[in-house]
Amino acid sequence: MTTLVVCIDRAGDLVAGTDPPMVGRDAVESLVVDVGVEDPEDSQVNCLLEALRVSRDLSEAGDETVVAVLAGTDDTIGADRAIARQVEELIDDHDPDSAVVVVDSAEDERLVPIVESRLTVDAVDRVVVRQARDIESTYYLLKQFLADEELRKTVLVPIGVALIAYPVLWWAVSPGVATGAIVAVVGLFFLYKGLGIDTYLASLPGQVQEALYSGQVALVTYVVAAGLSLVGVFDGAIGVSDLGSGTPLILASRFAFDAIPWLTGAALAASTGRLLDELIRRESVRSAYLNLPFGAVAVGLVVRGFSAYFLELADVFEPYRVQPIDVGPIAFEGATLEPPGTRLALFILAGVLVSLAGVRFAAYFSGTTVEQEFAHGREGGD
């Protein structure tokens, strides 16, 4: 088995004044002495010595080796074609079975595919001078980083925008506002990428298109839920503006009290649409989907009860009074729910009852579905 050990010099500095390739151990050793005496700090000396070492090790292992130096020119295309011509010449003269390529730079390593296209390459030996290993490794990492288009867009573009926006904000507003704005935007970008929002937004059009083509009910109910949510936020904002001033807890309680009925309706619409889609698709549904609408209503009742409790404690609301009822022989004069915890207890009790009703409803229908499927299976077996 003959192995070709080649050292690539794309710029052609090693063999200046001679006709490449230089073949044979004696020729390469002579070249090492000439280059080393001329410039002892040249890393290509180490590349030549590494080629000699690899050739020696393979010879000791029983392989027949041919060590050679391939050299190009200053011209990019001419250098590549010269290397290709020299590889073909070595193949014609020595008929090697495989090759080991020794390089000392990323520029020389770009020529490895030329050798691979004409001969099997068993290994690529990249020589790094020990004193400069960290610098060389950093260079290769940066080179790979800059070659990745996705990483460039993800990292370099936001950093560039931040570096441009910072002095503009510094000049237009103040250093504190500039620093805070840049930090906030960078934080939002990290959350955007970390939570996978970009992936979700990229897949959203396809999901909407699939939902439209398949006629999913959830698509309509999601639109309804979004509209109800906007109404709830708007209603809550109006309630806060009517309140005027107050502590953050009171303002948040007023917003929740006014918005929660609409938000509950939005959750109810979305969960109902999902439930109907499951029923249409599978003709049966898991208990978790059956319990979703009940859970939405229960949470809405509890949140509204707590917000009303805080507002009543702050004297924003009067104690709740049950209106009189007169139905035939039955007459109810009305009552005032005092203390404020009475209303909260009733809302919590209503939420618990609705939740229990949902659990019972889901358990009943899930049990019915299981029994029907079991009976259907037995009929098929009979």
Side-chain angles (χ1 to χ4, degrees):
M1 179 177 179
T2 302
T3 302
L4 181 63
V5 181
V6 293
C7 177
I8 298 180
D9 173 29
R10 191 169 191 265
D13 299 332
L14 288 177
V15 295
T18 61
D19 187 20
M22 300 190 66
V23 185
R25 187 176 187 87
D26 294 337
V28 176
E29 288 178 351
S30 177
L31 183 61
V32 170
V33 175
D34 295 340
V35 175
V37 171
E38 185 69 25
D39 186 3
E41 296 180 353
D42 194 342
S43 63
Q44 292 176 328
V45 176
N46 300 91
C47 186
L48 295 172
L49 293 172
E50 176 68 10
L52 292 173
R53 186 193 67 81
V54 171
S55 176
R56 183 200 63 190
D57 293 345
L58 292 176
S59 297
E60 293 176 353
D63 291 348
E64 182 180 350
T65 61
V66 177
V67 60
V69 178
L70 308 179
T73 61
D74 293 334
D75 182 24
T76 302
I77 298 178
D80 296 349
R81 298 185 66 180
I83 295 295
R85 184 179 64 253
Q86 295 166 35
V87 173
E88 292 173 353
E89 181 180 338
L90 290 172
I91 293 175
D92 293 338
D93 294 342
H94 302 280
D95 192 23
D97 300 291
S98 61
V100 175
V101 182
V102 182
V103 295
D104 68 336
S105 66
E107 183 180 6
D108 293 339
E109 193 170 353
R110 290 170 53 188
L111 298 179
V112 173
I114 295 179
V115 182
E116 286 181 326
S117 65
R118 291 160 173 81
L119 185 63
T120 302
V121 175
D122 290 340
V124 177
D125 189 358
R126 181 165 58 88
V127 180
V128 179
V129 181
R130 183 174 293 112
Q131 288 82 354
R133 184 176 297 274
D134 293 339
I135 298 176
E136 185 81 5
S137 300
T138 302
Y139 168 75
Y140 274 89
L141 289 175
L142 289 176
K143 179 178 177 293
Q144 294 176 359
F145 170 76
L146 294 176
D148 193 326
E149 183 178 357
E150 183 65 25
L151 284 177
R152 290 203 307 267
K153 292 180 180 179
T154 304
V155 178
L156 295 183
V157 172
I159 292 177
V161 173
L163 292 177
I164 294 174
Y166 187 75
V168 174
L169 293 175
W170 182 296
W171 173 78
V173 189
S174 67
V177 174
T179 304
I182 296 299
V183 171
V185 171
V186 172
L188 290 175
F189 175 77
F190 285 160
L191 289 176
Y192 175 79
K193 299 296 291 186
L195 297 176
I197 299 176
D198 56 337
T199 305
Y200 173 75
L201 293 179
S203 62
L204 184 60
Q207 295 178 0
V208 173
Q209 184 179 10
E210 182 182 358
L212 286 172
Y213 289 161
S214 60
Q216 293 182 3
V217 180
L219 179 63
V220 179
T221 58
Y222 285 163
V223 174
V224 174
L228 292 176
S229 299
L230 291 177
V231 173
V233 172
F234 186 74
D235 195 11
I238 292 177
V240 172
S241 62
D242 292 340
L243 190 60
S245 61
T247 62
L249 179 60
I250 299 304
L251 295 177
S253 299
R254 183 55 193 261
F255 178 86
F257 183 84
D258 293 332
I260 200 63
W262 298 100
L263 297 178
T264 302
L268 186 61
S271 60
T272 302
R274 185 65 182 272
L275 174 61
L276 292 176
D277 277 346
E278 289 293 321
L279 287 172
I280 294 172
R281 185 183 303 114
R282 302 182 181 180
E283 297 183 357
S284 63
V285 66
R286 291 177 294 177
S287 60
Y289 289 109
L290 291 170
N291 199 29
L292 276 176
F294 295 92
V297 175
V299 172
L301 288 172
V302 173
V303 174
R304 187 173 173 86
F306 275 102
S307 60
Y309 174 74
F310 292 135
L311 294 174
E312 193 171 343
L313 286 180
D315 294 330
V316 177
F317 287 169
E318 296 291 335
Y320 184 75
R321 177 172 176 78
V322 180
Q323 298 299 323
I325 300 175
D326 189 1
V327 181
I330 302 176
F332 177 68
E333 296 180 357
T336 301
L337 299 181
E338 292 182 339
T342 305
R343 178 192 289 189
L344 175 61
L346 291 177
F347 273 100
I348 293 176
L349 180 61
V352 172
L353 292 177
V354 171
S355 180
L356 291 176
V359 172
R360 180 60 182 171
F361 179 81
Y364 173 76
F365 277 94
S366 296
T368 302
T369 302
V370 171
E371 292 174 358
Q372 291 175 349
E373 292 179 354
F374 180 73
H376 180 72
R378 290 189 61 184
E379 292 176 359
D382 294 340

